[in-house]
Amino acid sequence: MSHEPSVPPAPRRPPAEPDPGHRERPDPRWIDEHGVPIDEDHRGLVYDIRTLVDRRRALGIFGGIGLTTLLAACAGGGATDASSSAAPSDTGGAGAASTPAAGDGLAEVPDETGGPYPADGSNGVNVLDDSGIVRSDLRRSFGASTTTAEGVPLEIALTVRDAASGAALVGAGVYLWHCDRAGGYSLYSPGLEAENYLRGVQATDETGTVRFTSIYPACYSGRWPHIHFEVYADVANAVAAGPIVKTSQIALPPESNDAVYATAGYEQSVRNAAAVSLASDNVFGDDGGIHQIASMSGSVAQGYTAALTIGV
């Protein structure tokens, strides 16, 4: 009986040394004037934003601030120190919703509850079919009452875009509502049943934007400060209880909340705001409101503008 000769196993080769002539070249954007690579922690806001976008795979991560605007604002150099690039929330002056160019998609704003006080016919009263609901200034009640809601002035600029293409939705109907500075909702809260302030409908303009003049809402117990809205195909559908395209909410940022709630008339909001966070809120808590936080400009003295671009 013949036997095949045994062949000893081949010795294992050590891993090949990298070829010095084929080393990966560092990205020239992150090299200083001496040719030395800049540490990741010191590459600035542009690098941080690009990295975050890669991780989130979304364009609307900074609420109403467009990615293009953020990158352009930081384009003075790739190595800009992030600590000197961040813009404060309380900037003064009028704000505007920055939007992506048509053809650039953006993240769709999450669907959220309309809450118990929508006044759209889904929970009792329907204000949408009342004469006077189509308006830009929400501070006064209309009809039988002319009560004016008091509070720090707030302009709300909401830009509506198609999530897939980034195209502005021109002529869409937007119904917006929120609580007053005491946390009450017109048409529902005790003593406010005969009021209809802080509610209104408008059509988006050629940029897909609606602007409402209002007051800064309170923080009431259990909820982060917010503003409700519904988007319809057009105003005719909005006032006729037509199909709703999107129901969602705008989250107000903590810096302006703190400034407003330190003023007279908002005293109870201080305590309520201290007991809730974006992470613990039962609406924004699933993602920290990353697609719903408004960008703010202005001040308590001048009034604020809250701007947000949404994809639907």
Side-chain angles (χ1 to χ4, degrees):
M1 182 174 182
S2 63
H3 295 277
E4 290 290 334
S6 60
V7 180
R12 299 182 63 183
R13 295 181 180 179
E17 292 292 330
D19 184 347
H22 292 81
R23 290 178 181 171
E24 182 179 352
R25 294 182 180 179
D27 191 326
R29 294 173 299 175
W30 316 120
I31 297 176
D32 66 17
E33 66 273 19
H34 305 295
V36 178
I38 301 168
D39 185 79
E40 268 194 13
D41 294 338
H42 298 89
R43 293 181 180 179
L45 189 57
V46 171
Y47 178 81
D48 293 341
I49 292 171
R50 284 174 176 152
T51 302
L52 184 57
V53 170
D54 287 340
R55 290 173 180 169
R56 295 288 187 179
R57 304 295 299 166
L59 295 176
I61 59 176
F62 290 95
I65 305 177
L67 175 63
T68 303
T69 301
L70 280 172
L71 293 176
C74 305
T80 302
D81 187 351
S83 64
S84 64
S85 302
S89 173
D90 190 1
T91 58
S98 177
T99 59
D104 295 335
L106 70 162
E108 182 175 347
V109 69
D111 293 296
E112 307 290 10
T113 175
Y117 314 117
D120 60 359
S122 63
N123 186 24
V125 64
N126 182 8
V127 74
L128 293 178
D129 58 4
D130 290 354
S131 175
I133 190 62
V134 180
R135 58 188 184 147
S136 61
D137 192 336
L138 310 184
R139 293 172 295 182
R140 293 173 65 95
S141 287
F142 58 89
S145 174
T146 56
T147 302
T148 299
E150 298 182 348
V152 172
L154 176 69
E155 181 179 18
I156 304 158
L158 184 66
T159 299
V160 185
R161 292 192 166 245
D162 178 75
S165 68
L169 295 186
V170 180
V174 176
Y175 170 41
L176 184 143
W177 74 98
H178 61 80
C179 71
D180 61 21
R181 72 175 180 181
Y185 281 88
S186 64
L187 297 169
Y188 290 93
S189 297
L192 300 181
E193 295 92 344
E195 306 296 346
N196 52 28
Y197 57 48
L198 309 183
R199 300 178 183 274
V201 172
Q202 276 196 90
T204 57
D205 64 16
E206 66 278 2
T207 69
T209 302
V210 288
R211 292 180 179 274
F212 292 96
T213 300
S214 194
I215 58 101
Y216 209 99
C219 178
Y220 54 85
S221 180
R223 279 302 319 275
W224 183 264
H226 62 281
I227 296 168
H228 293 270
F229 65 87
E230 293 173 347
V231 178
Y232 295 79
D234 49 38
V235 168
N237 271 280
V239 300
I244 299 172
V245 175
K246 174 68 67 173
T247 301
S248 195
Q249 300 181 25
I250 302 170
L252 298 176
E255 296 83 3
S256 54
N257 293 341
D258 292 345
V260 171
Y261 297 158
T263 65
Y266 289 94
E267 291 82 2
Q268 66 178 353
S269 291
V270 176
R271 180 180 63 255
N272 293 333
V276 68
S277 68
L278 279 166
S280 68
D281 185 71
N282 61 12
V283 170
F284 304 123
D286 55 348
D287 61 1
I290 196 168
H291 299 294
Q292 295 156 276
I293 301 175
S295 61
M296 302 295 294
S297 61
S299 65
V300 168
Q302 298 172 346
Y304 283 96
T305 294
L308 180 66
T309 296
I310 62 163
V312 300

